[in-house]
Amino acid sequence: QVQLVESGGGLVQAGGSLRLSCAASGRTFSNSAMAWFRQAPGKEREFVAAISWTGGDTRYADSVKGRFTISRDVAKKAVYLQMNSLKPEDTAVYYCAAREGFRSTTERMYAYWGQGTQVTVSS
């Protein structure tokens, strides 16, 4: 069982940066692949970034590639999303997710979810 709590969201101007954090608890975190998804108003939740349980394998949505970086600290049981060069279209609720096994870009593959943190990018 893994419990996830996101933090770090807020309001930022276009071109700015934010760092999201996801604090995990539970025995299986070190063996869990982690990911960030987001959901904008009126849209379906979409994949943003994923990282393997070793941290050596990452994957990004094309829309954020080169601007966002996912990382994890197994000792601190945390995963991060560094977001640079933010755009108004990045406005969404960002969710942290975890699954046992290999990393995936598919929402339904993740069994554990946080409550989400709001990111708003003004133009």
Side-chain angles (χ1 to χ4, degrees), residues 23-35:
S25 61
R27 295 183 300 170
T28 61
F29 177 78
S30 62
N31 296 323
S32 300
M34 306 292 293

Side-chain angles (χ1 to χ4, degrees), residues 8-51:
L11 174 64
V12 63
Q13 290 188 332
S17 298
L18 281 176
R19 188 191 193 207
L20 304 184
S21 298
C22 175
S25 61
R27 295 183 300 170
T28 61
F29 177 78
S30 62
N31 296 323
S32 300
M34 306 292 293
W36 289 93
F37 289 79
R38 67 185 181 186
Q39 186 168 22
K43 294 186 177 181
E44 295 186 349
R45 191 153 54 184
E46 64 176 3
F47 168 75
V48 176
I51 189 166

Side-chain angles (χ1 to χ4, degrees), residues 65-120:
K65 202 171 295 183
R67 300 187 298 123
F68 291 11
T69 302
I70 188 170
S71 62
R72 69 187 297 167
D73 186 329
V74 175
K76 295 183 178 179
K77 292 189 175 183
V79 64
Y80 308 99
L81 186 68
Q82 178 66 44
M83 306 185 295
N84 299 327
S85 303
L86 282 161
K87 305 175 181 180
E89 52 263 43
D90 293 319
T91 296
V93 176
Y94 283 71
Y95 297 90
C96 177
R99 69 180 303 272
E100 294 183 42
F102 58 88
R103 62 131 181 89
S104 173
T105 64
T106 305
E107 180 181 350
R108 59 180 171 80
M109 296 296 287
Y110 288 84
Y112 307 105
W113 292 84
Q115 293 300 306
T117 185
Q118 176 70 49
V119 171
T120 303

